[in-house]
Amino acid sequence: MLHRAVAARAGLECVPVGVDDDGMRVELLPDMDAGAVLVTPAHQSPTGAVLAPERRRSLLAWAERASAVVIEDDYDAEFRYDREPVGPLQGLAPERVVYCGSASKTLAPAMRLGWLVLPDALADAVAGEKALDDMGSPVLEQLALADFLEAGELDRHLRRMRPRYRARRVALVEALARELPEVELAGVAAGLAVVALLPRGSDERALATAAAQRGVAVHPLGFSRFDPASGPPGLVLGYASMPEPALARGVAEVAAAWRELQSARAA
Amino acid sequence: MLHRAVAARAGLECVPVGVDDDGMRVELLPDMDAGAVLVTPAHQSPTGAVLAPERRRSLLAWAERASAVVIEDDYDAEFRYDREPVGPLQGLAPERVVYCGSASKTLAPAMRLGWLVLPDALADAVAGEKALDDMGSPVLEQLALADFLEAGELDRHLRRMRPRYRARRVALVEALARELPEVELAGVAAGLAVVALLPRGSDERALATAAAQRGVAVHPLGFSRFDPASGPPGLVLGYASMPEPALARGVAEVAAAWRELQSARAA
């Protein structure tokens, strides 16, 4: 939702592209007359689908034919728990892909540090816009991050955090299976959030509101859709910042909210 | 020049307002049909003129009549060496003035921290734009700065730096009088830069380029003007980051460049 608001503020018109278990439905692009496409190929946000190999190839072929730009938001590619992360698209077509990385998931969103790898043709224009926007990012964080990377500390941090996040994911998934057997999980074992699909006809917003009243923050899945009602209802549950017992308690609260809503509906 | 580029990028049309020894010529505003005016009342940038008391009053009266916004860039008000700094306009008309402060001059531009005090009617809209722009500023610097302010460290820092900057200013002014008696200084004893007016017909850009070739960075005064040729040529010489001996050496290099240009012209 935020991405769409940012694009609209920049004067762009957004059009949605469907997503299935193999990621974005790339075959829909040729009919769309789009100049750019935003993708999260390593881990579709929020469903968690990985862009299938043949779709990666046809996405880049389309971009080449259409002289379009592929914006690859590699927002949490570092967190894949079942196998090695997929490599970025950018390396396959550096003149067609704008790669966006960030320290927000690997270190802390409070740092507000990100980076772009740009096609040569765009580098000067983007640097110019950035200068007009903020005259550059804070220098201390950049130096600290460069030092952290050079010393190999980011790799060490990721090796330390992957099993920790995996354990949190497992705890969340187990708690959902126990407390809310009605939900179905989407996506691969990756990232820092779980998508829990609710039974058809459920009111995801009412559930998120009721959970918030019990002190638990979850996001209605529809917030991530162009048309919120265009797919099954669900919740996005982040688990990065909480230890396992807190996650179990959080799920118990969501389940209690769910049962309350069910009773109210039945009444 | 940067301010104009930023305003233009936001889709605004910029029109210049004249400046004299009493700051912006506020009496020109009613004929301009402007919706907002950018001022540096404590210390006009770059000439150093302080907005005269009666002009402060008529500026705010105009803004009220025209339902216009006064953007007060209080960029270096903390550095006044001859008397107490002037208070901001914002306190006199909080619903007409947008106050802009920054840590860039008092602490370090590398921090990229600034703040706005906004009329109630604008606060939500500006917060919304800021969220779309960058989702918020880095948190660590903000916490550190808040701590620094609360502990009284900023006041101590300013008390420590004012005499140091004053000494640097004196050293720069003395070196200019000694090495480049042709120049005339503009503005009050304030800020972190000196404006040196060159004799009419001098080529300020050629002098800045020749100084740069000798390793000294100075800015042509025309860079700060809407029409660079609309006033006398000059140089803006910053002195904040250099100890006195380096300032004297820098002025000597500018003077040598000046004499070279004079000889080339005479030849």
Side-chain angles (χ1 to χ4, degrees), chain A residues 112-209:
Chain A
R112 318 300 313 131
L113 277 187
W115 44 89
L116 301 175
V117 183
L118 290 155
D120 278 341
L122 290 177
D124 283 346
V126 172
E129 292 288 324
K130 167 81 174 156
L132 287 183
D133 187 64
D134 62 9
M135 286 187 70
S137 295
V139 177
L140 292 181
E141 277 93 340
Q142 295 184 64
L143 293 174
L145 181 63
D147 198 53
F148 195 75
L149 287 170
E150 269 176 40
E153 288 293 342
L154 183 63
D155 290 335
R156 273 190 282 280
H157 173 72
L158 289 174
R159 278 200 296 276
R160 211 159 40 229
M161 294 311 289
R162 267 190 214 105
R164 203 171 291 183
Y165 289 141
R166 183 169 39 212
R168 290 178 184 174
R169 184 182 189 89
V170 167
L172 177 59
V173 167
E174 284 177 357
L176 284 169
R178 196 171 55 236
E179 307 267 356
L180 264 176
E182 298 91 335
V183 308
E184 186 190 333
L185 304 187
V188 296
L192 302 171
V194 159
V195 173
L197 300 177
L198 297 166
R200 291 240 161 229
S202 309
D203 186 342
E204 58 179 19
R205 295 180 64 173
L207 180 54
T209 304

